[in-house]
Amino acid sequence: MSRIAGTTYFKLDGDQLSLTGGIEVPLNTTSRDDVIGLDKSVDYKETYRAPYIKGTFKVPGNFPIDKITTADTMTATAELANGMVYVLREAWLSGEASFNAEEGTADLEFHGKTGFFQ
């Protein structure tokens, strides 16, 4: 048996940030949806979705909030427990960032111009 889940490392511009659990990366950046004709013909349309990494991060006192909320050319790297490494280039924080003071965490989603598995 081999490990497929567990310890994950995340770096943002080389600085390691600690995750508390969930991390998500896309396996594909194109999505196909069915287009079904009244004559029962089946085709598909293809749409692009932005590469991303999202997770729940621990927020210590030295957490790089200013960088995360303002930078738009970051490089994010997720080293997953199964040995896969996902790299997100020219990344920025997508959506809102809120701090959960009770848990000491923030749910963050980074989108980028390119994302790929090494």
Side-chain angles (χ1 to χ4, degrees):
M1 286 190 181
S2 62
R3 182 173 63 150
I4 62 168
T7 305
T8 299
Y9 299 97
F10 179 85
K11 292 182 181 175
L12 194 59
D13 281 346
D15 295 327
Q16 187 165 322
L17 302 181
S18 182
L19 294 155
T20 63
I23 186 165
E24 180 179 313
V25 299
L27 294 176
N28 63 331
T29 53
T30 56
S31 176
R32 293 181 182 155
D33 296 308
D34 298 337
V35 177
I36 301 172
L38 294 176
D39 61 353
K40 300 181 185 177
S41 62
V42 179
D43 294 290
Y44 66 89
K45 67 178 181 177
E46 191 170 73
T47 54
Y48 182 76
R49 65 184 199 164
Y52 69 92
I53 297 176
K54 68 178 169 179
T56 302
F57 296 86
K58 289 179 12 182
V59 183
N62 64 348
F63 196 71
I65 295 170
D66 288 340
K67 177 180 187 169
I68 287 172
T69 58
T70 61
D72 60 2
T73 58
M74 297 180 285
T75 298
T77 306
E79 299 174 25
L80 308 174
N82 63 1
M84 297 169 77
V85 176
Y86 187 78
V87 178
L88 185 64
R89 297 252 166 98
E90 297 184 69
W92 60 88
L93 177 67
S94 178
E96 298 178 358
S98 299
F99 175 59
N100 179 331
E102 182 178 352
E103 298 295 325
T105 62
D107 291 327
L108 303 175
E109 184 168 344
F110 298 95
H111 287 199
K113 295 200 179 214
T114 60
F116 56 91
F117 287 97
Q118 284 187 334

